[in-house]
Amino acid sequence: MPRTKLSRRTVLRGMLASGAAVTVGLPLLDIFCNGNGDALADGSGFPKRFATFFWGNGNIPSRWNPRKDPTSGLWTLAPQTMPLAALKNDIAFVTGLAVKTANSEAHTAGAAGIFTGSSPKIIDTRKTFASASLDQVIARMPGVAVGPRFRSIQTTCDSTLGFTTGAEGPHANGGHSYTGPDAHIEPEFSPHALFNRIFGAGFALPNGSVPTPPSLRLRKSVLDVVLDDAARLRPRLGSADRRRLDAHLDGVRELESQLESQAKTPANLTSCVYPEEPMPDSAFYPIEGRAQMSAYNEAFTKLLTLALACDQTRVVSHWFSASVSRVLYPGSPAEHHSLTHDEADDETETYALPPGSPTATKTITYQVNVDKVVTDIMTELAKMIQSFKDVAEGSETMLDHMVLFATSDCSLGRTHGLSDYPILLAGGCNGTFKMGQHLDLPGSPNVSTVPFALASAFGTIPSWGTEAGEVSSTTPISGIYV
Amino acid sequence: MMSSSSSFPRWRAAWLALALSTCVTACVANIGDAPSSRRAPVEPPTPDFNPAPGSLALLTKAQYRSSILSIVGPEIVVPTRIAPDTRALGLLTVGAGISTLSDVAVEQYENAAYDIATQAMGITAVRERLVPCTPNGIVSSECAGQFVTQFGRLAYRRPLTRYEVSRLIVIADNTSLVLQDFHQGLVYAMAAMLQSPYFLYRPMLGVEDPANPAQLEYDDYELAQRISFLIWNQTPDATLLDAAAAGGLSTDEGILEQVDRMLEDERARDGVNAFFADMLRLSDLDSMNKDPTIFVHFSPEVGSRARDETIADIEHLIFDEHGDYRDLFTIRRSFIDSRLAAIYNIPAPTLSGQGAVEFPASTFRRGLLGQVSFLGLNAHSTSTSATLRGKFVREVFLCASVPPPPANLNTSVPEVTGDTPTLRDRVRVHFEVPQCRSCHQLMDPIGLAFENFDGLGRFRTTENGAVIDASGSLNGAFYRNADELGQVMHDHPDVPKCLVRNLYRYATGHSEVTGETASLRSLSAQFVEDRYDVLQLIRRLVVDPGFRYARQPDVSPEVP
């Protein structure tokens, strides 16, 4: 069990920020730690949020992992993460961990390993997850699920938007949010559609009046008919189909709770403003075959920032690019996935090692175009973190009240490596995690310790993962806590 | 349902062998042959017929769309934001039988249901077609009941029970009263039906077979929708439902009477095209991307034009010529538009739309494997790929399974140099490393036959100044180029067998179980007798026991 440590100063800051210090006594601490949404309506605290930032095809560890002086403990950012320089005190690297489940399926084993702690599930040649992903586990924890309108929001900049899609329309590539075994959530790929979903009908600004439309109750009665039909169908099904139908019904009940939350008075969050309407989808179409990942990412970043600031959701998962992403980045000679496999190590870098090292310098070789793509992705990650940080919440920022988990589907893309896995955290989550550090762990501990620690920051769970991926302690990474 | 008992363990075994690199023949072809094997296959004895259990297939996006257009009206703009299709065993229809919905998808289906219902009641022509009566007030249970009964039969693909009708009338009446609008009541009742699992899924559950209590048979309505989705890729029409109601689908003659009517209908072309689009993964063409600085003839429309070409060729052969399926690998005639003509470097047959052309034999372009839908789709955005092309041929036309590359392996291939100007030179490494060879020998030799076509499908004779060698052998037959490979594919005994297997999986929505081996063998034999006529194959399939019977579903005790 991890402890959620709060310094006395943090508590006081939070209390002052909430304007409730005088009237609220000790129980505030509980609100603060558990992110209990019920307390929000009267402005007595800020919700605690969880964000995922994922990119496909891994990194080049020797160019991504921070470089550390083992004697002094001082660390510097490596070239691929240089775009995060301005945020160095708001982020933490945890390196040296390994996915312990078998590397049976290139890319999918890494994604399933990091987000579920289990091996992927293969059904009739289709690769999928065997259990709910980290974001969905957190989204269903009692302290998180109560309150916001949407249990979670998923987005991606990797889609078929802008291609001549047929009558069935465009779709997202990838995304690793699963509500349960094989229950994949397609991430939203249209900024405009996301805007309408969150900030269209059904959204109310803080202190805005929400006349409850009669349609809410009528829609609920319609859902009762759906549940009733399902209840009559279910006994005739085999076990596997019953599980599929149950997942569907879980979605129906989630809809019911959305309808209920729309009838509630919105929370008083001063940083919540109505977002500007995003550009139409056509603005994000690829130009000359090159995806506009940066503009796309910026549009989603704005919307996700306000979705969190307005407490419309407390869990956002941004699947920036897909696993095995085939995005053709501006200036790149081939699509990302092909590059990672086909490009040779034709570039060298020599950098100085700290005094006292066996050699004065170290020389590495790497794939220069892959390197550039990963660096560009880190630029986009930095923009998202900065955007969360730009939201003032009391005397702190929204980033202080959340934790963002950034990772990929492998370490070295070329070999689909599972050791030295890329892990970056941003935001201390109300003083739980220690930012501004590089935790480099010897002996390749189980990477599941990180999702276990993250999930435990939002609720109580006994363990994380299965078989070789299972952990029930965060001891190897205790340094990530404040 | 997903009793693909055979494929998974074998697959795992293949993996293990790869991982240990103790066995270089880890890649097993399902139907046929390792390239070197010339032994006549020994047919194991056929196990007794024992069908797969029933299924609960989600409508694919295409089926959702065609069903809405059919039961609500062609005027409707069908929302596309619903659960995305997933592919299993190479088919979206098999994926639909195992996919699980997320809460976001459920929300999307709700939005789509109200969108469609609101459109339906807002368009006079649609409303008048769907509502067979005049309400006698803001609340009119009588008229709402007539609407629910009539529309419900089409939506649930069976008559509604009295209980179901009464629940929907309550929704309609209550809504009409609250919103003070009769038709708003119908919007909500319709939205309920369009969100019901009875509409969104195709429950194929079966009832006890009186002739053989150990197994189940699909009831007349289930059989009606099975036939309808196979032939039209949409929900049954009123005539088929009437036939089901009258017991007309309980005999082979009755089934074939309806099937022949449906095959004559224009919708059969859409339905059969949908099967081939699924098998050939043509929907992937929608997102085909090429670097336009390298492929100057590429534009975002090329993918959909390429799909149109392939579909037109297949449809013409099957419906207009009642031709031999195998000829799809050898025909030189095709139907193309001006953009494809530019890629194929031949005069455009017509200024707008598609026109017939004959490919010159000098360019080795022949059959489906000479088209952009295959050549462009199975390539990278900046180059060709012998591996992707070979994998597609193996998997789609020969029904072989090729595992993904093992992890932790350096996969980079040499760069272009004076010594390695062509792709054949560069992928030689795949044959030198044992871990690579076991699988790549199944793919690369076939794929290299298409090196005379660049990453988009344009003909070329050299790569980086070196003459391309496109020769190879498959199943013991030598070929010098893609033109000759087309003939080898035409004559390959696994090609028709694989089509039968794909159509069987498509029609039944599952991976065949051991007890269905007899069905597959018999259909394959009949396909030969019928001179590889696909429409005859469909007629044989609809009366095959594997299409009509199920076994009891597997139910494990539930923990409360």
Side-chain angles (χ1 to χ4, degrees), chain A residues 103-104 124-126 140 151 160 163-164 166-168 182 188 197 215 219 228-229 232 234 239 241-242 244 247-248 258 288-290 333 335 338 341 414-415, chain B residues 1 4 15 56 61 65 81 87 89 97-99 103 107 110 156 163-164 167 196 201 286 289 291-292 300 381-382 407-408 410-412 554-556 558:
Chain A
N103 203 352
S104 53
D124 283 352
T125 71
R126 191 159 55 81
R140 277 160 181 72
R151 197 142 63 177
T160 60
F163 294 94
T164 48
E168 289 132 54
D182 195 35
E188 180 57 66
R197 181 168 178 232
S215 59
R219 277 167 67 195
D228 188 49
D229 274 1
R232 283 178 293 113
R234 193 178 185 280
S239 294
D241 288 336
R242 283 184 194 179
R244 294 169 60 217
H248 185 146
Q258 268 185 36
E288 294 283 295
R290 309 264 165 183
E335 67 254 51
S338 300
H341 290 304
R414 174 192 283 162
T415 58
Chain B
M1 278 225 354
S4 61
W15 245 145
L56 184 72
K61 278 180 116 171
R65 181 183 155 74
R81 304 306 297 269
R87 204 176 280 286
L89 288 171
I98 54 178
S99 67
D103 44 16
E107 184 185 328
E110 193 213 20
Y156 288 18
Y163 171 77
E164 287 168 335
R167 285 218 59 170
S196 168
Y201 298 91
D286 289 332
N289 191 26
D291 185 335
S381 57
T382 53
N408 287 327
N410 186 341
T411 50
S412 63
D554 304 319
V555 181
S556 45
E558 295 196 21

XYZ file of all heavy atoms in Angstrom, chain A residues 103-104 124-126 140 151 160 163-164 166-168 182 188 197 215 219 228-229 232 234 239 241-242 244 247-248 258 288-290 333 335 338 341 414-415, chain B residues 1 4 15 56 61 65 81 87 89 97-99 103 107 110 156 163-164 167 196 201 286 289 291-292 300 381-382 407-408 410-412 554-556 558:
629
model
N 7.445 -11.448 -24.391
C 7.405 -10.568 -25.561
C 6.880 -11.385 -26.746
O 7.548 -11.569 -27.752
C 8.803 -10.016 -25.847
C 8.740 -8.719 -26.652
O 7.680 -8.327 -27.117
N 9.879 -8.086 -26.815
N 5.649 -11.836 -26.634
C 5.102 -12.798 -27.584
C 4.572 -12.119 -28.835
O 4.591 -12.690 -29.910
C 3.969 -13.568 -26.917
O 3.035 -12.652 -26.382
N -9.037 -15.699 -32.174
C -9.127 -15.914 -33.623
C -8.169 -15.002 -34.387
O -8.580 -14.293 -35.311
C -10.559 -15.678 -34.116
C -11.472 -16.847 -33.791
O -10.962 -17.876 -33.334
O -12.679 -16.718 -34.002
N -6.936 -14.998 -34.023
C -5.844 -14.210 -34.624
C -5.883 -12.725 -34.271
O -4.980 -11.982 -34.615
C -5.778 -14.292 -36.182
O -6.887 -13.577 -36.734
C -5.803 -15.721 -36.678
N -6.951 -12.261 -33.611
C -7.010 -10.838 -33.285
C -6.357 -10.587 -31.934
O -6.617 -11.280 -30.959
C -8.460 -10.371 -33.259
C -8.582 -8.867 -33.198
C -9.951 -8.434 -33.677
N -11.016 -9.080 -32.941
C -11.433 -8.675 -31.762
N -10.894 -7.627 -31.185
N -12.409 -9.303 -31.148
N -12.821 3.731 -12.756
C -13.895 3.045 -12.035
C -13.686 3.021 -10.528
O -14.463 2.397 -9.812
C -14.042 1.622 -12.574
C -14.902 1.619 -13.818
C -14.704 0.389 -14.671
N -15.537 0.480 -15.858
C -15.293 1.312 -16.886
N -14.254 2.121 -16.851
N -16.091 1.346 -17.925
N -16.983 9.171 -17.452
C -16.080 8.334 -16.673
C -14.642 8.543 -17.169
O -13.709 8.549 -16.396
C -16.520 6.875 -16.838
C -15.988 5.950 -15.828
C -16.995 4.891 -15.405
N -17.406 4.008 -16.488
C -18.237 2.973 -16.328
N -18.743 2.712 -15.139
N -18.576 2.227 -17.338
N -7.808 7.925 -39.636
C -7.961 7.952 -41.092
C -8.671 9.230 -41.536
O -9.133 9.314 -42.666
C -8.751 6.731 -41.591
O -10.047 6.752 -40.996
C -8.063 5.438 -41.207
N -8.556 10.888 -45.213
C -8.459 9.932 -46.304
C -9.853 9.781 -46.901
O -10.842 10.098 -46.272
C -7.953 8.582 -45.790
C -6.536 8.644 -45.299
C -6.253 8.866 -43.959
C -5.491 8.514 -46.188
C -4.948 8.936 -43.510
C -4.185 8.581 -45.752
C -3.904 8.798 -44.415
N -9.908 9.290 -48.123
C -11.220 9.131 -48.737
C -11.882 7.899 -48.176
O -11.853 6.830 -48.772
C -11.106 8.969 -50.257
O -10.093 8.000 -50.499
C -10.791 10.261 -50.929
N -14.813 5.454 -47.075
C -16.068 5.100 -47.725
C -17.277 5.452 -46.881
O -17.201 6.288 -45.977
N -18.376 4.804 -47.176
C -19.646 5.114 -46.516
C -19.574 4.900 -45.014
O -20.374 5.441 -44.271
C -20.742 4.232 -47.108
N -18.604 4.105 -44.579
C -18.544 3.804 -43.146
C -17.763 4.844 -42.360
O -17.656 4.768 -41.151
C -17.958 2.421 -42.936
C -18.909 1.338 -43.378
C -18.233 0.290 -44.248
O -17.226 -0.263 -43.818
O -18.707 0.049 -45.365
N -11.125 -7.409 -23.956
C -11.460 -7.166 -25.361
C -12.444 -6.008 -25.585
O -12.874 -5.782 -26.702
C -12.016 -8.450 -26.002
C -12.045 -8.365 -27.524
O -11.132 -7.736 -28.088
O -12.971 -8.901 -28.141
N -11.478 9.204 -29.589
C -12.056 10.232 -30.458
C -10.959 10.814 -31.336
O -9.888 11.145 -30.853
C -12.680 11.340 -29.591
C -13.299 12.454 -30.384
C -14.365 11.967 -31.359
O -15.400 11.475 -30.905
O -14.127 12.053 -32.577
N -19.331 16.639 -27.954
C -19.689 15.629 -26.963
C -19.591 16.211 -25.550
O -20.458 15.975 -24.707
C -18.755 14.421 -27.105
C -19.047 13.314 -26.138
C -18.293 12.029 -26.491
N -18.573 10.998 -25.514
C -17.642 10.302 -24.864
N -16.361 10.501 -25.129
N -17.975 9.398 -23.984
N -36.300 15.529 -21.536
C -35.778 14.436 -22.348
C -34.828 13.532 -21.565
O -34.667 12.372 -21.898
C -35.072 15.000 -23.578
O -34.018 15.838 -23.189
N -35.167 9.688 -21.939
C -34.063 8.859 -22.460
C -33.743 7.729 -21.492
O -33.395 6.628 -21.900
C -32.812 9.717 -22.684
C -32.820 10.458 -24.021
C -31.739 11.509 -24.068
N -30.389 10.945 -24.055
C -29.297 11.675 -23.799
N -29.398 12.971 -23.540
N -28.112 11.110 -23.812
N -34.048 -4.255 -20.473
C -35.049 -5.314 -20.381
C -34.885 -6.314 -21.536
O -34.934 -7.526 -21.343
C -36.437 -4.660 -20.407
C -37.535 -5.667 -20.123
O -37.393 -6.410 -19.137
O -38.500 -5.718 -20.909
N -34.673 -5.796 -22.738
C -34.430 -6.683 -23.886
C -33.202 -7.548 -23.630
O -33.202 -8.749 -23.909
C -34.189 -5.848 -25.165
C -35.498 -5.485 -25.867
O -36.578 -5.872 -25.352
O -35.456 -4.816 -26.916
N -33.737 -10.455 -21.235
C -34.438 -11.609 -21.794
C -33.545 -12.401 -22.750
O -33.704 -13.601 -22.914
C -35.730 -11.158 -22.495
C -36.841 -10.838 -21.480
C -38.119 -10.341 -22.133
N -37.910 -9.043 -22.753
C -37.954 -8.835 -24.066
N -38.216 -9.827 -24.885
N -37.752 -7.636 -24.552
N -30.168 -12.632 -22.463
C -28.970 -13.155 -21.803
C -29.007 -14.641 -21.457
O -28.038 -15.368 -21.728
C -28.695 -12.319 -20.545
C -27.325 -12.550 -19.946
C -27.105 -11.662 -18.723
N -25.747 -11.804 -18.210
C -25.352 -12.803 -17.459
N -26.200 -13.759 -17.118
N -24.103 -12.878 -17.033
N -21.555 -18.630 -22.286
C -20.839 -17.781 -21.318
C -20.078 -16.639 -21.980
O -20.089 -15.508 -21.495
C -19.867 -18.622 -20.508
O -20.587 -19.525 -19.714
N -20.602 -15.084 -24.797
C -21.497 -14.034 -25.284
C -22.177 -13.298 -24.130
O -22.499 -12.114 -24.248
C -22.536 -14.620 -26.239
C -21.913 -15.016 -27.579
O -20.858 -14.439 -27.915
O -22.465 -15.888 -28.268
N -22.401 -13.994 -23.026
C -22.958 -13.291 -21.854
C -21.992 -12.211 -21.374
O -22.396 -11.106 -21.030
C -23.209 -14.283 -20.707
C -24.441 -15.109 -20.925
C -24.725 -16.013 -19.748
N -25.723 -17.008 -20.157
C -26.188 -17.956 -19.370
N -25.758 -18.064 -18.133
N -27.091 -18.797 -19.823
N -19.905 -10.596 -23.169
C -19.944 -9.492 -24.134
C -21.179 -8.633 -23.906
O -21.126 -7.403 -23.938
C -19.939 -10.037 -25.560
C -18.637 -10.756 -25.929
C -18.765 -11.507 -27.242
N -19.088 -10.623 -28.331
C -19.903 -10.933 -29.344
N -20.475 -12.112 -29.393
N -20.135 -10.068 -30.290
N -20.825 -6.422 -20.865
C -20.023 -5.216 -21.117
C -20.897 -4.147 -21.784
O -20.802 -2.960 -21.474
C -18.826 -5.546 -22.006
N -21.751 -4.578 -22.670
C -22.685 -3.655 -23.312
C -23.597 -3.007 -22.256
O -23.808 -1.796 -22.241
C -23.509 -4.450 -24.335
C -24.431 -3.620 -25.164
N -24.715 -3.906 -26.470
C -25.159 -2.510 -24.881
C -25.558 -3.008 -26.955
N -25.843 -2.155 -26.007
N -24.519 9.230 -16.758
C -24.286 10.516 -17.455
C -25.538 11.378 -17.426
O -25.479 12.586 -17.214
C -23.935 10.260 -18.918
C -22.473 10.135 -19.206
C -22.236 10.014 -20.713
O -22.926 10.622 -21.524
N -21.275 9.216 -21.081
N -0.276 16.779 -48.319
C 0.675 16.048 -49.174
C 1.095 14.731 -48.511
O 2.269 14.380 -48.513
C 1.914 16.912 -49.456
C 1.627 18.144 -50.293
C 1.447 17.813 -51.770
O 2.414 17.363 -52.378
O 0.329 17.985 -52.285
N 0.144 14.036 -47.944
C 0.436 12.744 -47.334
C 1.072 12.814 -45.961
O 1.320 11.786 -45.350
N 1.339 14.033 -45.470
C 2.007 14.175 -44.171
C 0.981 14.600 -43.126
O 0.309 15.620 -43.294
C 3.099 15.250 -44.245
C 4.050 15.061 -45.403
C 5.286 14.334 -44.961
N 6.041 13.841 -46.106
C 7.142 13.108 -45.995
N 7.595 12.807 -44.801
N 7.771 12.672 -47.056
N 11.668 10.265 -44.080
C 11.766 9.530 -45.352
C 10.860 8.304 -45.439
O 10.741 7.711 -46.496
C 13.238 9.106 -45.397
C 13.653 9.023 -43.975
C 12.847 10.068 -43.229
N 7.331 6.056 -43.211
C 6.402 6.114 -42.084
C 7.098 5.596 -40.823
O 8.033 4.801 -40.902
C 5.107 5.374 -42.374
C 5.231 3.883 -42.510
C 5.124 3.406 -43.954
O 5.844 3.941 -44.814
O 4.334 2.509 -44.211
N 7.956 1.755 -40.235
C 8.991 1.248 -41.155
C 10.358 1.794 -40.782
O 11.367 1.078 -40.822
C 8.690 1.663 -42.592
O 7.463 1.156 -42.991
N 12.227 -0.037 -38.067
C 12.781 -1.349 -38.418
C 13.844 -1.286 -39.502
O 14.770 -2.067 -39.513
C 11.654 -2.292 -38.836
C 10.794 -2.686 -37.681
N 11.307 -3.268 -36.554
C 9.469 -2.551 -37.468
C 10.331 -3.484 -35.691
N 9.205 -3.051 -36.215
N 13.174 -0.762 -32.863
C 13.650 -1.728 -33.846
C 13.491 -3.163 -33.379
O 13.097 -4.034 -34.132
C 15.121 -1.464 -34.169
C 15.675 -2.546 -35.076
C 17.169 -2.474 -35.181
N 17.584 -1.402 -36.058
C 18.802 -0.893 -36.059
N 19.702 -1.318 -35.217
N 19.113 0.069 -36.890
N 13.788 -3.396 -32.099
C 13.737 -4.775 -31.597
C 12.513 -5.013 -30.720
O 12.402 -6.067 -30.111
C 14.991 -5.095 -30.769
O 15.058 -4.149 -29.705
C 16.250 -5.000 -31.602
N -19.184 -20.811 -30.518
C -18.734 -19.592 -31.169
C -17.245 -19.623 -31.502
O -16.831 -20.037 -32.520
C -18.881 -18.426 -30.239
C -20.149 -17.789 -30.104
S -19.862 -16.073 -30.148
C -18.127 -15.943 -30.152
N -12.296 -21.961 -32.128
C -11.247 -22.156 -33.118
C -10.201 -23.033 -32.470
O -9.044 -22.691 -32.368
C -10.633 -20.820 -33.498
O -10.072 -20.261 -32.352
N 5.154 -20.364 -32.281
C 5.866 -19.310 -31.611
C 7.051 -19.800 -30.828
O 8.140 -19.292 -30.896
C 4.922 -18.689 -30.605
C 4.633 -17.327 -30.938
C 3.469 -16.681 -30.747
C 5.502 -16.407 -31.533
N 3.582 -15.424 -31.192
C 4.807 -15.218 -31.681
C 6.823 -16.445 -31.984
C 5.358 -14.088 -32.225
C 7.368 -15.320 -32.534
C 6.626 -14.157 -32.654
N -23.551 -14.435 -31.425
C -24.156 -13.129 -31.195
C -23.262 -12.109 -31.895
O -22.422 -11.472 -31.284
C -24.232 -12.845 -29.691
C -24.931 -11.554 -29.263
C -26.437 -11.670 -29.465
C -24.643 -11.251 -27.790
N -20.189 -2.190 -39.416
C -20.597 -0.832 -39.794
C -21.359 -0.849 -41.120
O -22.346 -0.130 -41.286
C -19.367 0.074 -39.921
C -18.879 0.607 -38.589
C -17.675 1.499 -38.765
C -17.987 2.926 -38.346
N -16.788 3.783 -38.311
N -25.301 0.202 -41.568
C -25.685 1.199 -42.552
C -26.719 0.662 -43.547
O -27.762 1.274 -43.767
C -24.418 1.632 -43.305
C -24.632 2.674 -44.331
C -23.322 2.967 -45.074
N -23.654 3.482 -46.384
C -24.119 4.719 -46.575
N -24.252 5.539 -45.565
N -24.446 5.110 -47.783
N -20.475 7.311 -36.675
C -19.762 7.216 -35.408
C -20.380 6.134 -34.544
O -21.132 6.410 -33.607
C -19.772 8.564 -34.683
C -19.211 9.706 -35.502
C -17.811 9.408 -36.020
N -16.856 9.227 -34.947
C -16.143 10.227 -34.432
N -16.247 11.439 -34.901
N -15.309 10.007 -33.460
N -11.220 -7.026 -37.135
C -10.980 -8.147 -38.032
C -10.455 -9.334 -37.232
O -9.587 -9.188 -36.392
C -9.944 -7.718 -39.072
C -9.965 -8.472 -40.363
C -8.953 -7.878 -41.341
N -9.404 -6.689 -42.028
C -10.293 -6.674 -43.018
N -10.837 -7.793 -43.435
N -10.663 -5.546 -43.587
N -9.370 -13.587 -38.049
C -9.196 -14.576 -39.116
C -9.330 -13.932 -40.482
O -9.846 -14.526 -41.422
C -10.228 -15.702 -38.977
C -9.994 -16.671 -37.822
C -11.180 -17.589 -37.656
C -8.724 -17.477 -38.048
N -18.370 -11.276 -34.461
C -18.925 -12.311 -33.608
C -18.227 -12.441 -32.274
O -18.687 -13.179 -31.400
N -17.122 -11.750 -32.106
C -16.401 -11.858 -30.839
C -16.133 -10.503 -30.203
O -15.651 -10.429 -29.090
C -15.052 -12.599 -31.019
C -14.214 -11.946 -32.121
C -15.270 -14.063 -31.343
C -12.860 -12.590 -32.312
N -16.448 -9.404 -30.889
C -16.058 -8.103 -30.349
C -16.962 -7.699 -29.185
O -18.117 -8.072 -29.113
C -16.102 -7.043 -31.452
O -17.430 -6.828 -31.855
N -18.162 1.391 -23.285
C -19.242 2.322 -22.933
C -19.315 3.484 -23.929
O -20.389 4.021 -24.176
C -19.137 2.811 -21.480
C -17.730 3.181 -21.078
O -16.898 3.348 -21.987
O -17.473 3.308 -19.876
N -22.679 4.674 -26.044
C -23.115 6.080 -26.137
C -23.283 6.485 -27.608
O -24.234 7.185 -27.975
C -22.066 6.966 -25.444
C -22.422 8.439 -25.383
C -21.271 9.268 -24.781
O -20.537 8.753 -23.916
O -21.126 10.435 -25.186
N -26.452 5.204 -28.961
C -27.604 5.975 -28.493
C -27.763 7.236 -29.343
O -28.851 7.551 -29.829
C -27.460 6.357 -27.011
C -28.787 6.881 -26.437
C -28.664 7.946 -25.359
O -27.607 8.602 -25.257
O -29.649 8.139 -24.625
N -36.048 -6.026 -35.456
C -35.621 -7.216 -34.696
C -35.535 -8.444 -35.607
O -35.187 -9.523 -35.161
C -36.592 -7.498 -33.542
C -36.518 -6.528 -32.377
C -35.916 -5.284 -32.502
C -37.063 -6.865 -31.136
C -35.874 -4.402 -31.435
C -37.014 -5.992 -30.060
C -36.416 -4.755 -30.221
O -36.383 -3.880 -29.157
N -45.513 -8.601 -25.259
C -44.877 -7.877 -24.161
C -43.978 -6.759 -24.706
O -44.008 -5.617 -24.231
C -44.066 -8.871 -23.315
C -43.185 -8.219 -22.274
C -43.731 -7.711 -21.086
C -41.802 -8.108 -22.464
C -42.920 -7.116 -20.132
C -40.991 -7.511 -21.512
C -41.549 -7.020 -20.353
O -40.750 -6.434 -19.412
N -43.201 -7.098 -25.719
C -42.290 -6.099 -26.292
C -43.070 -4.931 -26.891
O -42.710 -3.766 -26.717
C -41.397 -6.756 -27.364
C -40.320 -7.654 -26.780
C -39.614 -8.524 -27.817
O -40.213 -8.813 -28.886
O -38.487 -8.953 -27.553
N -44.438 -2.667 -24.080
C -43.423 -1.804 -23.448
C -43.095 -0.602 -24.332
O -42.907 0.509 -23.846
C -42.128 -2.605 -23.211
C -42.232 -3.553 -22.048
C -40.945 -3.600 -21.264
N -40.556 -2.291 -20.745
C -39.594 -2.090 -19.875
N -38.929 -3.122 -19.420
N -39.280 -0.894 -19.456
N -31.619 -1.561 -29.093
C -31.827 -2.877 -28.486
C -30.780 -3.865 -28.987
O -30.390 -3.838 -30.149
C -33.215 -3.392 -28.850
O -33.315 -4.760 -28.503
N -27.280 -6.572 -32.534
C -26.631 -7.861 -32.747
C -27.531 -8.727 -33.622
O -28.711 -8.440 -33.779
C -26.412 -8.594 -31.421
C -25.513 -7.890 -30.440
C -26.039 -7.009 -29.497
C -24.145 -8.127 -30.432
C -25.219 -6.369 -28.582
C -23.318 -7.494 -29.509
C -23.862 -6.613 -28.583
O -23.047 -5.987 -27.668
N -9.207 2.711 -47.974
C -9.658 4.066 -47.665
C -8.564 4.885 -47.016
O -8.544 6.105 -47.133
C -10.870 4.026 -46.727
C -12.091 3.522 -47.448
O -12.167 3.719 -48.672
O -12.966 2.937 -46.788
N -1.990 5.395 -47.788
C -1.241 6.649 -47.873
C 0.073 6.416 -48.600
O 0.738 5.411 -48.377
C -0.966 7.195 -46.467
C -0.436 8.613 -46.505
O -0.698 9.351 -47.450
N 0.314 8.997 -45.491
N 3.653 8.580 -50.155
C 4.375 9.838 -50.226
C 4.247 10.383 -51.657
O 4.755 9.781 -52.600
C 5.845 9.586 -49.883
C 6.642 10.884 -49.826
O 6.217 11.857 -50.482
O 7.681 10.914 -49.144
N 3.558 11.516 -51.822
C 3.299 11.998 -53.183
C 4.552 12.504 -53.896
O 4.534 12.662 -55.115
C 2.283 13.123 -52.975
C 2.443 13.543 -51.568
C 2.978 12.376 -50.804
N -5.350 11.132 -52.735
C -6.145 10.418 -51.735
C -7.316 9.617 -52.324
O -7.817 8.702 -51.691
C -6.644 11.543 -50.825
C -5.648 12.632 -50.989
C -5.186 12.553 -52.418
N 4.487 3.372 -47.512
C 4.117 4.640 -48.124
C 5.244 5.229 -48.953
O 5.034 6.152 -49.714
C 3.643 5.635 -47.071
O 4.634 5.815 -46.109
N 6.460 4.675 -48.815
C 7.553 5.182 -49.640
C 8.216 4.096 -50.480
O 9.135 4.387 -51.232
C 8.638 5.843 -48.755
O 9.022 4.907 -47.742
C 8.112 7.092 -48.084
N 9.841 -10.974 -31.369
C 10.355 -9.747 -30.765
C 11.849 -9.906 -30.499
O 12.401 -10.986 -30.646
C 9.608 -9.470 -29.473
N 12.470 -8.832 -30.091
C 13.889 -8.836 -29.738
C 14.779 -9.307 -30.880
O 15.743 -10.018 -30.683
C 14.145 -9.719 -28.505
C 13.631 -9.025 -27.264
O 13.677 -7.806 -27.172
N 13.120 -9.803 -26.334
N 16.753 -7.992 -34.451
C 17.099 -6.838 -35.277
C 16.505 -7.043 -36.663
O 16.838 -7.981 -37.368
C 18.618 -6.695 -35.359
C 19.014 -5.417 -36.077
O 18.205 -4.829 -36.803
N 20.229 -4.982 -35.877
N 15.601 -6.157 -37.033
C 14.859 -6.365 -38.269
C 15.333 -5.479 -39.398
O 14.713 -5.449 -40.445
C 13.374 -6.064 -38.023
O 13.289 -4.805 -37.379
C 12.725 -7.128 -37.182
N 16.433 -4.723 -39.175
C 16.808 -3.798 -40.236
C 17.418 -4.556 -41.412
O 18.098 -5.559 -41.247
C 17.784 -2.738 -39.720
O 18.968 -3.350 -39.307
N -21.673 -23.234 -24.878
C -20.914 -23.582 -23.672
C -21.288 -22.601 -22.565
O -21.104 -21.391 -22.719
C -19.412 -23.490 -23.951
C -19.020 -24.379 -25.126
O -19.550 -25.503 -25.196
O -18.211 -23.946 -25.974
N -21.810 -23.130 -21.493
C -22.168 -22.264 -20.362
C -21.454 -22.775 -19.128
O -21.639 -23.925 -18.728
C -23.694 -22.261 -20.108
C -24.027 -21.346 -18.945
C -24.432 -21.838 -21.368
N -20.608 -21.933 -18.576
C -19.965 -22.320 -17.323
C -20.776 -21.715 -16.181
O -21.391 -20.668 -16.348
C -18.511 -21.830 -17.291
O -18.461 -20.502 -17.736
N -22.162 -19.630 -13.248
C -21.846 -18.230 -12.955
C -21.692 -18.011 -11.468
O -22.438 -18.556 -10.668
C -22.956 -17.325 -13.497
C -23.011 -17.397 -14.998
C -23.810 -16.269 -15.602
O -24.000 -15.242 -14.946
O -24.244 -16.450 -16.740
